[in-house]
Amino acid sequence: MTDFSEKYQRPIKMLVAMFLAGLLTAPLIIQRYTASGTFSPGKDSREFALEHFGFYLENVALASGLEFTHQSPRLDPKLQHILPQIASMGASVSIVDFNRDGWSDIYVTDSRYGTQNALYRNESDGTFRDVAAAMGVADVNRQGTGVSMGAVWGDYDNDGYEDIFLYKWGKPELFHNDGGSGFTSVTEQSELPRWVNANTAIWLDYNSDGYLDIFMGGYYPAKFDLWNLNTTRIMPESFEYAQNGGRNYLFENQGDGTFRELAGQVGLTSTRWTLAAGAADLQQDGYPELFLANDFGVDEFYANDQGERFREVGNEVKTGFTPKSGMNVTFGDIANQGLFAIYVTNITEEGVLMQGNNLWMPRQGNASMTYSNIAGQRGVELGGWSYGAQFGDLNNDGAVDLYVANGFISARKGTSYWYDYSKVTGGNSAIISDARNWPDMRGRSQSGYQRNRVWLNDGTGRFQEVAGYVGGNAIFDSRAVALGDLWNRGVLDVVVANQNDRLLVYKNTVSRGHHWIGFRLEGTRSNRSAVGATVTLHWDGKTQSQIVSGGIGYCSQNQRRVQFGLGDSEQVEQAVIHWPSGNRQQISRPEAGKVHLVREPQ
Amino acid sequence: MSSPETPVSQTDSAPETAKSVSFNKRLDFRYAPPVLITLILLAGHLSFGILASYRTVILAVGTSMITELVLARLVVGKWRNLSSAYITGISVSILIRSPMFWPYALCAMISIATKYVLRYRGRHLWNPSNFGVSWMLFTAPFSVAGLSIQWGNNLWPMLIIWPLGLVIVWRARRFHVTFTYIVSFIVLSGLRSVITGASFLAEVAPLTGPMYQLFVLFMITDPVTTVSSRKGRILVAFLIALVEFVLRLNEFIYAPFYALFLVGPVAMMIELRRKKPATA
């Protein structure tokens, strides 16, 4: 011991003890000063929200005639002890103008045998009417055919009307839109597989041939009919490294109303547990990349090699190494740079599982694009047990905001299945993969009663959680989120599909003086839906890009047209459109405050 | 997890170790656990991506070592060998999960600081990383969770880690501790299965995961924070399993850490009370 230590031993020991005491109390202090205060009942008034955040969300589902309650599937009795966990999906929503009347309609799915899906036609008077039965797209959950998990719309035959692809735990189905007056099932001639347990599908034109193709991702392997099981070994083999899920499908549109399945030929061979898919030309080479959010494992980034082959490059671009529980993927130009960040939701449960959501921001290197996860820095990391998420400028201030759905199983309050869940998922594959080994849920909740998040972008790509103030912070087991201008007012409304619960339709009120502009694209050389086109808007010294999507997010599809907030600016310098065909179109000084119909130049 | 923890002062040395192992062997063996845990870390990460990032490892290890250097110099008046701090840092970076950085630094600092403050008759009572990890899990659930990553949930990583780990444990003369704990855990899993109605495999499942591998191979065998007699260590290992059994019945997810946190220091205090006070 040195003289110094010896001489001052007592004060040094006291000092070190105080140091430790300070360290031990640090978590409590940090918690006190970092508590997010996401909900303040006294301040969630409309006026407060409009003044401080520029918008307010109000659920008007019932008043608008959108009375829909989702029902979860009932499955094989062998799964009864963990049924809430297995049957936790199927609530989906897509926004589409199926009859080309210029008003957005809504299609929602149900997931129990005998239930009916709903197609809410916009009556253009503020109300909606369910016309699914009359149109022939309601009775699709018949015994023996499986039940709906989601639907995406795309004009596969370029006749100007959006057709519907329905993916199920069962037989996928394709319905042709007969001029907006009805739908005809073309499932048989489309040569779709007999049975797929799918939880995601999107339209994309992967080879830019002018015809929309379909990607569909499997969740449970297709060999399992979840109502008639002869085994209980259906569960993921690992919580983080499972590769025993369903296979992928890529249905290439042959241009004659038929499709050819060639996932294996083009390199989409993985069998992970895919929950969401998104396509966009992230590498800016004219062909859409494919990003898959996978439950129980790493996400996958498939680079598109000139429309001929997909190559999984997750490790190369640094998005595909650390395994989490990917639930949703969506793209957004969060910092108005003309670059798309990739937002992937995962699971966060305090004290149990802190995966955090990912916000992958591209960085252009010398050789190639790589991504870094900046979710923590930008304030959008900790959601909950998150599912659907969508970017959209909710207050028309010129920066895209983020709505995130949360909540897994809201059963008996004050209970939790997490202990049993973590016990099994920590075990060997032989244990976890057999449903028999999973303890009985006995009516317990798991990450239930979680609030949805509304993250407001400050214009620089940093987000603030404001759901408690602006509305929209529902406490349901929310699944799918879709954004669209439901009442043609130049604002994005929010539709949330909840598992085993009612549909929420948030009508958005935006502060005066926040301007906007919209574009509805129609391809000619490109697919007519213009899926895959990118619109880049230049105004007031700002630049923002948006993608025309053929379905994005967990079991959801936003309105087809793209819509930009302009803040207090009423002047737009130009809009530049990159069509999937390779065409580049420039529109000078488009007028703000209206939706522009843009046809692709021949 | 710090096996074998380098003692803070000469009085920390486990007497049995000092008597029975030659200087050269001790020197060689002292670096075996850091090497093994580094190999586990690298193998786990390169094959399965068990780390959130390398930055958290660097942060935890760096903080741990700096804290050790400063406190050792300040309190003991010497520069210390840093292998123990290295293991503590690695353990922290593996065993806690947080999307933030501060928990890794804080946990590492707490772990090391306890060695210099929470002492009784010249010995520190808690396994440092067990204290740090337990404290963070208990007081900071808003930012911290335990290790959730499995190593593929396959058998082959276990076939490498278990034999290697058991060799280390055997060389440290703590095989009986690991053995007692495992047998106790399995038997008590059967009992829990009867009580809760859950399947035996579900109850025994955690033992097949990496958190337990680290726990039974490194943490409960720490020579510095285990009692000196063989019978005593066997009893303590059983008591840890028993307390964990009770905690598990009450659905504590991090039952093993809390069990060691509760049982380990009490056992040490009882032993130290029965012995002569250590000389300074």
Side-chain angles (χ1 to χ4, degrees), chain A residues 134-382:
Chain A
M135 294 285 171
V137 288
D139 187 20
V140 290
N141 303 312
R142 295 181 302 279
Q143 192 86 28
T145 68
V147 299
S148 303
M149 287 291 126
V152 280
W153 298 74
D155 183 4
Y156 75 86
D157 58 352
N158 292 334
D159 67 351
Y161 287 88
E162 305 282 357
D163 311 296
I164 178 170
F165 180 74
L166 186 66
Y167 51 99
K168 305 164 79 173
W169 286 358
K171 170 86 176 168
E173 298 191 48
L174 180 63
F175 292 92
H176 179 261
N177 186 336
D178 304 328
S181 60
F183 293 83
T184 301
S185 174
V186 291
T187 303
E188 294 310 317
Q189 56 262 45
S190 304
E191 298 180 21
L192 298 173
R194 191 191 64 80
W195 193 278
V196 182
N197 295 308
N199 278 92
T200 183
I202 56 170
W203 293 95
L204 76 166
D205 184 2
Y206 89 95
N207 53 4
S208 298
D209 66 351
Y211 289 98
L212 282 178
D213 314 299
I214 302 167
F215 170 83
M216 179 167 62
Y219 193 67
Y220 290 96
K223 63 185 177 185
F224 297 131
D225 172 351
L226 295 168
W227 289 262
N228 300 288
L229 291 170
N230 53 19
T231 177
T232 49
R233 297 188 65 82
I234 64 161
M235 303 298 279
E237 63 194 348
S238 164
F239 188 64
E240 283 98 4
Y241 304 97
Q243 299 197 50
N244 63 335
R247 55 161 290 201
N248 300 317
Y249 299 82
L250 181 68
F251 301 108
E252 185 188 66
N253 191 334
Q254 302 301 292
D256 58 359
T258 65
F259 292 82
R260 189 163 65 101
E261 203 291 304
L262 37 69
Q265 291 175 47
V266 299
L268 297 171
T269 53
S270 75
T271 52
R272 296 185 182 276
W273 296 68
T274 304
L275 275 183
D281 184 12
L282 300 171
Q283 298 188 332
Q284 301 178 356
D285 60 356
Y287 294 91
E289 274 61 52
L290 196 53
F291 192 100
L292 306 185
N294 295 319
D295 204 356
F296 310 117
V298 293
D299 300 321
E300 292 165 293
F301 189 119
Y302 284 99
N304 187 332
D305 289 341
Q306 303 296 304
E308 293 175 357
R309 193 167 176 77
F310 286 97
R311 195 165 48 87
E312 210 288 301
V313 295
N315 267 331
E316 291 171 37
V317 302
K318 302 190 187 306
T319 61
F321 192 66
T322 302
K324 294 186 180 180
S325 305
M327 302 288 190
N328 175 92
V329 57
T330 189
F331 308 116
D333 182 4
I334 62 165
N336 288 349
Q337 297 172 317
L339 294 171
F340 293 108
I342 305 169
Y343 189 67
V344 180
T345 59
N346 298 296
I347 301 172
T348 298
E349 175 70 18
E350 285 192 357
V352 181
L353 188 59
M354 302 292 286
Q355 291 181 336
N357 299 335
N358 297 335
L359 179 62
W360 295 109
M361 196 67 193
R363 287 184 304 189
Q364 185 65 56
N366 291 332
S368 61
M369 188 96 82
T370 59
Y371 289 80
S372 57
N373 182 11
I374 59 168
Q377 300 164 31
R378 302 307 172 98
V380 292
E381 186 165 41
L382 302 179

Side-chain angles (χ1 to χ4, degrees), chain A residues 454-473:
Chain A
V454 181
W455 269 303
L456 190 65
N457 189 336
D458 69 359
T460 67
R462 292 183 189 280
F463 293 81
Q464 178 192 3
E465 216 286 299
V466 298
Y469 301 97
V470 303
N473 59 342

Side-chain angles (χ1 to χ4, degrees), chain A residues 1-2 4-5 9 12-13 15-17 19-20 22-28 30-31 34 237-241 321-323 349-356 373 376-377 381-382 416 418-420 422-432 436-439 442 444, chain B residues 45-46 48-52 67 71 73-78 97-100 102 106 109-110 113-114 116-118 131 135-136 139-146 148-155 158 192 196 198-199 201-203 205-206 208-209 248 251-254:
Chain A
M1 191 173 279
T2 61
F4 177 83
S5 301
Q9 196 172 23
I12 286 173
K13 281 186 173 176
L15 197 67
V16 174
F19 173 64
L20 178 61
L23 294 176
L24 295 178
T25 54
L28 306 174
I30 290 169
Q31 183 181 25
T34 58
E237 63 194 348
S238 164
F239 188 64
E240 283 98 4
Y241 304 97
F321 192 66
T322 302
E349 175 70 18
E350 285 192 357
V352 181
L353 188 59
M354 302 292 286
Q355 291 181 336
N373 182 11
Q377 300 164 31
E381 186 165 41
L382 302 179
S416 174
W418 265 112
Y419 168 75
D420 282 325
S422 64
K423 192 169 61 182
V424 176
T425 55
N428 184 262
S429 60
I431 298 171
I432 183 177
R436 273 190 314 177
N437 295 326
W438 289 66
R442 300 196 311 269
R444 284 175 286 176
Chain B
H45 188 60
L46 294 175
F48 296 111
I50 65 168
L51 300 173
T67 309
L71 293 185
R73 187 70 193 164
L74 209 57
V75 177
V76 190
K78 294 177 181 171
R97 278 284 176 276
S98 176
M100 297 140 194
W102 66 263
L106 183 62
M109 276 197 278
I110 288 174
T114 59
Y116 295 87
V117 178
L118 303 179
F131 188 101
W135 190 265
M136 295 302 289
T139 63
F142 55 93
S143 295
V144 176
S148 64
I149 292 272
Q150 279 73 50
W151 299 351
N153 296 57
N154 292 321
L155 205 59
M158 291 169 61
R192 272 201 314 276
T196 64
S199 75
L201 283 177
E203 293 298 339
T208 64
R248 282 196 167 278
E251 302 199 342
F252 281 83
I253 290 175
Y254 304 114

Side-chain angles (χ1 to χ4, degrees), chain A residues 64-102:
Chain A
S64 306
L66 291 152
E67 190 173 359
F68 181 86
T69 299
H70 174 264
Q71 297 180 72
S72 297
R74 291 176 177 143
L75 304 170
D76 190 293
K78 288 191 270 298
L79 303 175
Q80 192 60 34
H81 61 300
I82 52 171
L83 184 64
Q85 187 190 134
I86 305 289
S88 61
M89 290 182 277
S92 82
V93 57
S94 45
I95 297 177
V96 61
D97 179 8
F98 80 92
N99 54 1
R100 288 178 63 98
D101 65 353

